[in-house]
Amino acid sequence: AEDFCAMMGYDAGQQLQVVPMETARNWCPQDLSVRQLFTHVLDIFGKPNKKFFDTLSLFAKDDKEKSVLESIAANSDEGKAVYRDLVHDYAHHADVLKKFSSARPPIEHLINMIPTLKPRAYSIASSPLMHPDIIQLCVVQVDWEVESTKELRIGEATGYMKQQAPGAQLVCAVRPSA
């Protein structure tokens, strides 16, 4: 989130007060920092949909970038090719904002442009008979290499868990399996 905030020109420590609106696309806590918004609420590493490109085009100051974003949203032949390349490279919202650097929507617009993080489900690997007060998870780190850049990518949730110190407590919920 720090790198993303720096790229976007946001102060990661700035406190926000979000006023919920009935028409808002996403749920968001009312009081949080910019860092928390981009770490715990918005899925900046998720795959953008065509509507994201359309809305992003409204903020592009560079005419060429604006044209490319509009072509993606309009599903033109050029736009399909650019979109196909982005999908092939597993481009996420942050990648697109980096690529189209003249488009810098204000935070209040990004809250509606980028979906919220979705809960991740993991299998419980421990038995309540052996460890009644502890839940142990079986987690496999998701990682892959972006073919065009050779950049190693790590899954958002598993990457977050890997960064935590042993014994760290994480917020979770237990749900019965289907």
Side-chain angles (χ1 to χ4, degrees), residues 56-97:
L56 190 60
S57 72
L58 302 174
F59 298 97
K61 292 181 174 42
D62 179 87
D63 290 337
K64 184 173 182 188
E65 287 185 6
K66 183 179 193 67
S67 175
V68 173
L69 288 164
E70 288 172 343
S71 74
I72 293 169
N75 222 17
S76 71
D77 289 342
E78 176 198 4
K80 285 179 187 176
V82 173
Y83 187 72
R84 186 173 44 249
D85 290 344
L86 290 168
V87 168
H88 182 263
D89 279 349
Y90 301 98
H92 45 57
H93 294 97
D95 288 331
V96 171
L97 288 160

mmCIF file of all heavy atoms in Angstrom, residues 56-97:
data_model
loop_
_atom_site.group_PDB
_atom_site.id
_atom_site.type_symbol
_atom_site.label_atom_id
_atom_site.label_comp_id
_atom_site.label_asym_id
_atom_site.label_seq_id
_atom_site.Cartn_x
_atom_site.Cartn_y
_atom_site.Cartn_z
ATOM 1 N N LEU A 56 -11.884 5.568 -15.547
ATOM 2 C CA LEU A 56 -10.509 6.076 -15.478
ATOM 3 C C LEU A 56 -10.225 7.037 -16.621
ATOM 4 O O LEU A 56 -9.509 8.033 -16.452
ATOM 5 C CB LEU A 56 -9.513 4.914 -15.490
ATOM 6 C CG LEU A 56 -8.061 5.270 -15.198
ATOM 7 C CD1 LEU A 56 -7.922 5.898 -13.807
ATOM 8 C CD2 LEU A 56 -7.186 4.032 -15.315
ATOM 9 N N SER A 57 -10.809 6.789 -17.790
ATOM 10 C CA SER A 57 -10.581 7.670 -18.948
ATOM 11 C C SER A 57 -11.024 9.109 -18.669
ATOM 12 O O SER A 57 -10.463 10.054 -19.221
ATOM 13 C CB SER A 57 -11.293 7.134 -20.194
ATOM 14 O OG SER A 57 -12.698 7.288 -20.092
ATOM 15 N N LEU A 58 -12.000 9.279 -17.790
ATOM 16 C CA LEU A 58 -12.494 10.621 -17.459
ATOM 17 C C LEU A 58 -11.445 11.448 -16.718
ATOM 18 O O LEU A 58 -11.514 12.677 -16.706
ATOM 19 C CB LEU A 58 -13.756 10.526 -16.605
ATOM 20 C CG LEU A 58 -14.936 9.769 -17.210
ATOM 21 C CD1 LEU A 58 -16.063 9.622 -16.198
ATOM 22 C CD2 LEU A 58 -15.415 10.452 -18.480
ATOM 23 N N PHE A 59 -10.456 10.767 -16.113
ATOM 24 C CA PHE A 59 -9.438 11.457 -15.318
ATOM 25 C C PHE A 59 -8.094 11.572 -16.047
ATOM 26 O O PHE A 59 -7.169 12.184 -15.525
ATOM 27 C CB PHE A 59 -9.250 10.749 -13.978
ATOM 28 C CG PHE A 59 -10.493 10.755 -13.142
ATOM 29 C CD1 PHE A 59 -11.351 9.669 -13.133
ATOM 30 C CD2 PHE A 59 -10.825 11.866 -12.374
ATOM 31 C CE1 PHE A 59 -12.513 9.673 -12.375
ATOM 32 C CE2 PHE A 59 -11.977 11.887 -11.613
ATOM 33 C CZ PHE A 59 -12.821 10.795 -11.615
ATOM 34 N N ALA A 60 -7.990 10.968 -17.231
ATOM 35 C CA ALA A 60 -6.728 10.996 -17.972
ATOM 36 C C ALA A 60 -6.480 12.394 -18.533
ATOM 37 O O ALA A 60 -7.321 12.947 -19.237
ATOM 38 C CB ALA A 60 -6.747 9.964 -19.085
ATOM 39 N N LYS A 61 -5.311 12.933 -18.231
ATOM 40 C CA LYS A 61 -4.942 14.263 -18.744
ATOM 41 C C LYS A 61 -4.192 14.154 -20.074
ATOM 42 O O LYS A 61 -4.210 15.072 -20.876
ATOM 43 C CB LYS A 61 -4.093 14.992 -17.711
ATOM 44 C CG LYS A 61 -4.890 15.358 -16.460
ATOM 45 C CD LYS A 61 -4.039 16.102 -15.452
ATOM 46 C CE LYS A 61 -4.792 16.620 -14.268
ATOM 47 N NZ LYS A 61 -5.774 15.775 -13.686
ATOM 48 N N ASP A 62 -3.541 13.018 -20.317
ATOM 49 C CA ASP A 62 -2.818 12.780 -21.559
ATOM 50 C C ASP A 62 -3.808 12.265 -22.612
ATOM 51 O O ASP A 62 -4.524 11.281 -22.376
ATOM 52 C CB ASP A 62 -1.710 11.748 -21.319
ATOM 53 C CG ASP A 62 -0.935 11.441 -22.574
ATOM 54 O OD1 ASP A 62 0.033 12.173 -22.854
ATOM 55 O OD2 ASP A 62 -1.307 10.466 -23.284
ATOM 56 N N ASP A 63 -3.855 12.936 -23.775
ATOM 57 C CA ASP A 63 -4.833 12.581 -24.815
ATOM 58 C C ASP A 63 -4.658 11.155 -25.325
ATOM 59 O O ASP A 63 -5.643 10.461 -25.588
ATOM 60 C CB ASP A 63 -4.761 13.570 -25.984
ATOM 61 C CG ASP A 63 -5.281 14.950 -25.612
ATOM 62 O OD1 ASP A 63 -6.077 15.052 -24.645
ATOM 63 O OD2 ASP A 63 -4.897 15.934 -26.284
ATOM 64 N N LYS A 64 -3.414 10.717 -25.472
ATOM 65 C CA LYS A 64 -3.169 9.352 -25.962
ATOM 66 C C LYS A 64 -3.664 8.320 -24.942
ATOM 67 O O LYS A 64 -4.321 7.350 -25.315
ATOM 68 C CB LYS A 64 -1.691 9.143 -26.250
ATOM 69 C CG LYS A 64 -1.408 7.796 -26.840
ATOM 70 C CD LYS A 64 0.027 7.638 -27.276
ATOM 71 C CE LYS A 64 0.120 6.262 -27.895
ATOM 72 N NZ LYS A 64 1.299 5.732 -28.255
ATOM 73 N N GLU A 65 -3.342 8.535 -23.669
ATOM 74 C CA GLU A 65 -3.816 7.619 -22.628
ATOM 75 C C GLU A 65 -5.339 7.608 -22.575
ATOM 76 O O GLU A 65 -5.955 6.546 -22.466
ATOM 77 C CB GLU A 65 -3.252 8.008 -21.260
ATOM 78 C CG GLU A 65 -1.787 7.693 -21.099
ATOM 79 C CD GLU A 65 -1.281 7.972 -19.686
ATOM 80 O OE1 GLU A 65 -2.093 8.302 -18.804
ATOM 81 O OE2 GLU A 65 -0.062 7.837 -19.477
ATOM 82 N N LYS A 66 -5.940 8.788 -22.656
ATOM 83 C CA LYS A 66 -7.399 8.895 -22.637
ATOM 84 C C LYS A 66 -8.007 8.093 -23.791
ATOM 85 O O LYS A 66 -8.960 7.343 -23.615
ATOM 86 C CB LYS A 66 -7.815 10.363 -22.725
ATOM 87 C CG LYS A 66 -9.314 10.603 -22.629
ATOM 88 C CD LYS A 66 -9.595 12.098 -22.695
ATOM 89 C CE LYS A 66 -10.995 12.439 -22.309
ATOM 90 N NZ LYS A 66 -11.341 12.199 -20.921
ATOM 91 N N SER A 67 -7.412 8.213 -24.974
ATOM 92 C CA SER A 67 -7.895 7.503 -26.156
ATOM 93 C C SER A 67 -7.802 5.991 -25.983
ATOM 94 O O SER A 67 -8.733 5.252 -26.328
ATOM 95 C CB SER A 67 -7.100 7.950 -27.383
ATOM 96 O OG SER A 67 -7.457 7.206 -28.504
ATOM 97 N N VAL A 68 -6.680 5.507 -25.436
ATOM 98 C CA VAL A 68 -6.515 4.069 -25.222
ATOM 99 C C VAL A 68 -7.530 3.568 -24.200
ATOM 100 O O VAL A 68 -8.164 2.523 -24.401
ATOM 101 C CB VAL A 68 -5.068 3.736 -24.784
ATOM 102 C CG1 VAL A 68 -4.945 2.271 -24.386
ATOM 103 C CG2 VAL A 68 -4.079 4.061 -25.893
ATOM 104 N N LEU A 69 -7.697 4.285 -23.105
ATOM 105 C CA LEU A 69 -8.673 3.888 -22.083
ATOM 106 C C LEU A 69 -10.084 3.851 -22.666
ATOM 107 O O LEU A 69 -10.850 2.911 -22.402
ATOM 108 C CB LEU A 69 -8.611 4.843 -20.887
ATOM 109 C CG LEU A 69 -7.375 4.697 -20.000
ATOM 110 C CD1 LEU A 69 -7.214 5.927 -19.098
ATOM 111 C CD2 LEU A 69 -7.444 3.418 -19.174
ATOM 112 N N GLU A 70 -10.423 4.853 -23.460
ATOM 113 C CA GLU A 70 -11.750 4.883 -24.090
ATOM 114 C C GLU A 70 -11.922 3.725 -25.069
ATOM 115 O O GLU A 70 -13.007 3.146 -25.174
ATOM 116 C CB GLU A 70 -11.969 6.220 -24.799
ATOM 117 C CG GLU A 70 -12.167 7.374 -23.847
ATOM 118 C CD GLU A 70 -12.206 8.737 -24.527
ATOM 119 O OE1 GLU A 70 -11.769 8.867 -25.694
ATOM 120 O OE2 GLU A 70 -12.677 9.691 -23.870
ATOM 121 N N SER A 71 -10.846 3.355 -25.782
ATOM 122 C CA SER A 71 -10.941 2.245 -26.743
ATOM 123 C C SER A 71 -11.163 0.917 -26.020
ATOM 124 O O SER A 71 -11.872 0.044 -26.525
ATOM 125 C CB SER A 71 -9.701 2.187 -27.641
ATOM 126 O OG SER A 71 -8.579 1.698 -26.945
ATOM 127 N N ILE A 72 -10.573 0.764 -24.828
ATOM 128 C CA ILE A 72 -10.800 -0.452 -24.042
ATOM 129 C C ILE A 72 -12.265 -0.510 -23.619
ATOM 130 O O ILE A 72 -12.931 -1.538 -23.774
ATOM 131 C CB ILE A 72 -9.870 -0.505 -22.807
ATOM 132 C CG1 ILE A 72 -8.416 -0.659 -23.246
ATOM 133 C CG2 ILE A 72 -10.280 -1.651 -21.873
ATOM 134 C CD1 ILE A 72 -7.413 -0.466 -22.123
ATOM 135 N N ALA A 73 -12.767 0.597 -23.115
ATOM 136 C CA ALA A 73 -14.155 0.650 -22.647
ATOM 137 C C ALA A 73 -15.140 0.446 -23.798
ATOM 138 O O ALA A 73 -16.182 -0.194 -23.619
ATOM 139 C CB ALA A 73 -14.425 1.983 -21.953
ATOM 140 N N ALA A 74 -14.791 0.962 -24.994
ATOM 141 C CA ALA A 74 -15.684 0.863 -26.156
ATOM 142 C C ALA A 74 -15.584 -0.496 -26.844
ATOM 143 O O ALA A 74 -16.353 -0.779 -27.763
ATOM 144 C CB ALA A 74 -15.366 1.973 -27.152
ATOM 145 N N ASN A 75 -14.600 -1.322 -26.422
ATOM 146 C CA ASN A 75 -14.419 -2.653 -26.994
ATOM 147 C C ASN A 75 -14.027 -2.603 -28.474
ATOM 148 O O ASN A 75 -14.388 -3.488 -29.240
ATOM 149 C CB ASN A 75 -15.679 -3.492 -26.793
ATOM 150 C CG ASN A 75 -15.364 -4.908 -26.384
ATOM 151 O OD1 ASN A 75 -14.257 -5.202 -25.947
ATOM 152 N ND2 ASN A 75 -16.336 -5.793 -26.522
ATOM 153 N N SER A 76 -13.291 -1.564 -28.868
ATOM 154 C CA SER A 76 -12.811 -1.462 -30.248
ATOM 155 C C SER A 76 -11.720 -2.514 -30.466
ATOM 156 O O SER A 76 -11.229 -3.124 -29.521
ATOM 157 C CB SER A 76 -12.243 -0.071 -30.509
ATOM 158 O OG SER A 76 -11.015 0.096 -29.815
ATOM 159 N N ASP A 77 -11.324 -2.718 -31.722
ATOM 160 C CA ASP A 77 -10.269 -3.697 -32.006
ATOM 161 C C ASP A 77 -8.982 -3.350 -31.265
ATOM 162 O O ASP A 77 -8.336 -4.223 -30.675
ATOM 163 C CB ASP A 77 -10.008 -3.785 -33.513
ATOM 164 C CG ASP A 77 -11.151 -4.457 -34.262
ATOM 165 O OD1 ASP A 77 -11.962 -5.151 -33.605
ATOM 166 O OD2 ASP A 77 -11.229 -4.293 -35.496
ATOM 167 N N GLU A 78 -8.606 -2.064 -31.288
ATOM 168 C CA GLU A 78 -7.402 -1.629 -30.564
ATOM 169 C C GLU A 78 -7.579 -1.875 -29.066
ATOM 170 O O GLU A 78 -6.682 -2.388 -28.395
ATOM 171 C CB GLU A 78 -7.123 -0.139 -30.812
ATOM 172 C CG GLU A 78 -5.943 0.381 -30.002
ATOM 173 C CD GLU A 78 -5.890 1.907 -29.873
ATOM 174 O OE1 GLU A 78 -6.820 2.596 -30.344
ATOM 175 O OE2 GLU A 78 -4.925 2.386 -29.264
ATOM 176 N N GLY A 79 -8.740 -1.514 -28.548
ATOM 177 C CA GLY A 79 -9.020 -1.689 -27.127
ATOM 178 C C GLY A 79 -9.006 -3.147 -26.709
ATOM 179 O O GLY A 79 -8.491 -3.492 -25.639
ATOM 180 N N LYS A 80 -9.563 -4.024 -27.556
ATOM 181 C CA LYS A 80 -9.541 -5.457 -27.255
ATOM 182 C C LYS A 80 -8.112 -5.972 -27.166
ATOM 183 O O LYS A 80 -7.793 -6.785 -26.290
ATOM 184 C CB LYS A 80 -10.295 -6.238 -28.333
ATOM 185 C CG LYS A 80 -11.798 -6.111 -28.250
ATOM 186 C CD LYS A 80 -12.438 -6.906 -29.382
ATOM 187 C CE LYS A 80 -13.924 -6.679 -29.435
ATOM 188 N NZ LYS A 80 -14.554 -7.354 -30.577
ATOM 189 N N ALA A 81 -7.251 -5.508 -28.066
ATOM 190 C CA ALA A 81 -5.849 -5.952 -28.068
ATOM 191 C C ALA A 81 -5.131 -5.492 -26.802
ATOM 192 O O ALA A 81 -4.404 -6.266 -26.172
ATOM 193 C CB ALA A 81 -5.137 -5.444 -29.316
ATOM 194 N N VAL A 82 -5.337 -4.239 -26.424
ATOM 195 C CA VAL A 82 -4.700 -3.711 -25.200
ATOM 196 C C VAL A 82 -5.224 -4.459 -23.985
ATOM 197 O O VAL A 82 -4.449 -4.881 -23.117
ATOM 198 C CB VAL A 82 -4.945 -2.189 -25.052
ATOM 199 C CG1 VAL A 82 -4.430 -1.688 -23.700
ATOM 200 C CG2 VAL A 82 -4.306 -1.418 -26.186
ATOM 201 N N TYR A 83 -6.524 -4.660 -23.929
ATOM 202 C CA TYR A 83 -7.136 -5.361 -22.798
ATOM 203 C C TYR A 83 -6.624 -6.797 -22.716
ATOM 204 O O TYR A 83 -6.293 -7.296 -21.645
ATOM 205 C CB TYR A 83 -8.659 -5.322 -22.921
ATOM 206 C CG TYR A 83 -9.376 -5.866 -21.717
ATOM 207 C CD1 TYR A 83 -9.411 -5.162 -20.520
ATOM 208 C CD2 TYR A 83 -10.021 -7.102 -21.761
ATOM 209 C CE1 TYR A 83 -10.064 -5.650 -19.403
ATOM 210 C CE2 TYR A 83 -10.675 -7.609 -20.642
ATOM 211 C CZ TYR A 83 -10.694 -6.877 -19.471
ATOM 212 O OH TYR A 83 -11.327 -7.377 -18.361
ATOM 213 N N ARG A 84 -6.532 -7.473 -23.863
ATOM 214 C CA ARG A 84 -6.027 -8.848 -23.916
ATOM 215 C C ARG A 84 -4.603 -8.908 -23.363
ATOM 216 O O ARG A 84 -4.256 -9.801 -22.586
ATOM 217 C CB ARG A 84 -6.095 -9.373 -25.347
ATOM 218 C CG ARG A 84 -5.734 -10.822 -25.516
ATOM 219 C CD ARG A 84 -5.973 -11.343 -26.941
ATOM 220 N NE ARG A 84 -5.509 -10.435 -27.975
ATOM 221 C CZ ARG A 84 -6.313 -9.761 -28.810
ATOM 222 N NH1 ARG A 84 -7.620 -9.899 -28.727
ATOM 223 N NH2 ARG A 84 -5.807 -8.960 -29.722
ATOM 224 N N ASP A 85 -3.753 -7.944 -23.740
ATOM 225 C CA ASP A 85 -2.376 -7.904 -23.233
ATOM 226 C C ASP A 85 -2.355 -7.685 -21.719
ATOM 227 O O ASP A 85 -1.553 -8.293 -21.011
ATOM 228 C CB ASP A 85 -1.565 -6.804 -23.921
ATOM 229 C CG ASP A 85 -1.272 -7.131 -25.388
ATOM 230 O OD1 ASP A 85 -1.427 -8.311 -25.786
ATOM 231 O OD2 ASP A 85 -0.898 -6.202 -26.131
ATOM 232 N N LEU A 86 -3.208 -6.810 -21.233
ATOM 233 C CA LEU A 86 -3.274 -6.551 -19.792
ATOM 234 C C LEU A 86 -3.727 -7.794 -19.033
ATOM 235 O O LEU A 86 -3.153 -8.145 -18.004
ATOM 236 C CB LEU A 86 -4.205 -5.374 -19.498
ATOM 237 C CG LEU A 86 -3.700 -3.995 -19.918
ATOM 238 C CD1 LEU A 86 -4.828 -2.964 -19.838
ATOM 239 C CD2 LEU A 86 -2.523 -3.565 -19.075
ATOM 240 N N VAL A 87 -4.729 -8.473 -19.559
ATOM 241 C CA VAL A 87 -5.235 -9.686 -18.919
ATOM 242 C C VAL A 87 -4.156 -10.773 -18.958
ATOM 243 O O VAL A 87 -3.935 -11.481 -17.969
ATOM 244 C CB VAL A 87 -6.539 -10.181 -19.601
ATOM 245 C CG1 VAL A 87 -6.911 -11.584 -19.146
ATOM 246 C CG2 VAL A 87 -7.677 -9.215 -19.323
ATOM 247 N N HIS A 88 -3.461 -10.885 -20.080
ATOM 248 C CA HIS A 88 -2.390 -11.880 -20.211
ATOM 249 C C HIS A 88 -1.297 -11.649 -19.168
ATOM 250 O O HIS A 88 -0.690 -12.591 -18.665
ATOM 251 C CB HIS A 88 -1.806 -11.841 -21.623
ATOM 252 C CG HIS A 88 -0.739 -12.859 -21.848
ATOM 253 N ND1 HIS A 88 0.600 -12.562 -21.747
ATOM 254 C CD2 HIS A 88 -0.820 -14.182 -22.132
ATOM 255 C CE1 HIS A 88 1.301 -13.650 -21.972
ATOM 256 N NE2 HIS A 88 0.470 -14.650 -22.219
ATOM 257 N N ASP A 89 -1.041 -10.392 -18.833
ATOM 258 C CA ASP A 89 -0.026 -10.045 -17.838
ATOM 259 C C ASP A 89 -0.592 -9.983 -16.421
ATOM 260 O O ASP A 89 0.071 -9.505 -15.506
ATOM 261 C CB ASP A 89 0.606 -8.690 -18.175
ATOM 262 C CG ASP A 89 1.685 -8.806 -19.239
ATOM 263 O OD1 ASP A 89 2.095 -9.934 -19.559
ATOM 264 O OD2 ASP A 89 2.124 -7.762 -19.732
ATOM 265 N N TYR A 90 -1.829 -10.447 -16.230
ATOM 266 C CA TYR A 90 -2.471 -10.427 -14.913
ATOM 267 C C TYR A 90 -2.485 -9.015 -14.324
ATOM 268 O O TYR A 90 -2.257 -8.827 -13.134
ATOM 269 C CB TYR A 90 -1.772 -11.381 -13.930
ATOM 270 C CG TYR A 90 -1.751 -12.811 -14.385
ATOM 271 C CD1 TYR A 90 -0.630 -13.349 -15.000
ATOM 272 C CD2 TYR A 90 -2.860 -13.625 -14.207
ATOM 273 C CE1 TYR A 90 -0.615 -14.668 -15.428
ATOM 274 C CE2 TYR A 90 -2.856 -14.939 -14.624
ATOM 275 C CZ TYR A 90 -1.721 -15.455 -15.237
ATOM 276 O OH TYR A 90 -1.716 -16.756 -15.656
ATOM 277 N N ALA A 91 -2.728 -8.026 -15.157
ATOM 278 C CA ALA A 91 -2.735 -6.631 -14.686
ATOM 279 C C ALA A 91 -3.857 -6.416 -13.682
ATOM 280 O O ALA A 91 -4.989 -6.858 -13.876
ATOM 281 C CB ALA A 91 -2.899 -5.678 -15.863
ATOM 282 N N HIS A 92 -3.511 -5.737 -12.586
ATOM 283 C CA HIS A 92 -4.499 -5.392 -11.579
ATOM 284 C C HIS A 92 -4.712 -3.872 -11.594
ATOM 285 O O HIS A 92 -4.103 -3.160 -12.389
ATOM 286 C CB HIS A 92 -4.104 -5.919 -10.203
ATOM 287 C CG HIS A 92 -2.663 -5.694 -9.826
ATOM 288 N ND1 HIS A 92 -2.072 -4.451 -9.786
ATOM 289 C CD2 HIS A 92 -1.693 -6.564 -9.471
ATOM 290 C CE1 HIS A 92 -0.813 -4.555 -9.407
ATOM 291 N NE2 HIS A 92 -0.548 -5.831 -9.215
ATOM 292 N N HIS A 93 -5.596 -3.401 -10.723
ATOM 293 C CA HIS A 93 -5.916 -1.969 -10.702
ATOM 294 C C HIS A 93 -4.655 -1.118 -10.562
ATOM 295 O O HIS A 93 -4.502 -0.113 -11.263
ATOM 296 C CB HIS A 93 -6.889 -1.654 -9.551
ATOM 297 C CG HIS A 93 -8.235 -2.265 -9.725
ATOM 298 N ND1 HIS A 93 -8.590 -3.447 -9.123
ATOM 299 C CD2 HIS A 93 -9.315 -1.857 -10.430
ATOM 300 C CE1 HIS A 93 -9.832 -3.748 -9.455
ATOM 301 N NE2 HIS A 93 -10.299 -2.805 -10.240
ATOM 302 N N ALA A 94 -3.753 -1.509 -9.663
ATOM 303 C CA ALA A 94 -2.528 -0.726 -9.451
ATOM 304 C C ALA A 94 -1.662 -0.700 -10.711
ATOM 305 O O ALA A 94 -1.082 0.335 -11.049
ATOM 306 C CB ALA A 94 -1.743 -1.285 -8.265
ATOM 307 N N ASP A 95 -1.588 -1.827 -11.426
ATOM 308 C CA ASP A 95 -0.828 -1.867 -12.684
ATOM 309 C C ASP A 95 -1.401 -0.897 -13.704
ATOM 310 O O ASP A 95 -0.669 -0.185 -14.390
ATOM 311 C CB ASP A 95 -0.862 -3.272 -13.305
ATOM 312 C CG ASP A 95 -0.041 -4.285 -12.560
ATOM 313 O OD1 ASP A 95 0.963 -3.904 -11.920
ATOM 314 O OD2 ASP A 95 -0.396 -5.480 -12.629
ATOM 315 N N VAL A 96 -2.718 -0.895 -13.819
ATOM 316 C CA VAL A 96 -3.381 -0.028 -14.805
ATOM 317 C C VAL A 96 -3.145 1.438 -14.442
ATOM 318 O O VAL A 96 -2.839 2.258 -15.315
ATOM 319 C CB VAL A 96 -4.894 -0.358 -14.894
ATOM 320 C CG1 VAL A 96 -5.630 0.672 -15.739
ATOM 321 C CG2 VAL A 96 -5.083 -1.765 -15.450
ATOM 322 N N LEU A 97 -3.249 1.770 -13.157
ATOM 323 C CA LEU A 97 -3.006 3.153 -12.735
ATOM 324 C C LEU A 97 -1.545 3.548 -12.957
ATOM 325 O O LEU A 97 -1.254 4.699 -13.253
ATOM 326 C CB LEU A 97 -3.418 3.336 -11.281
ATOM 327 C CG LEU A 97 -4.940 3.326 -11.077
ATOM 328 C CD1 LEU A 97 -5.293 3.025 -9.632
ATOM 329 C CD2 LEU A 97 -5.549 4.641 -11.531
#
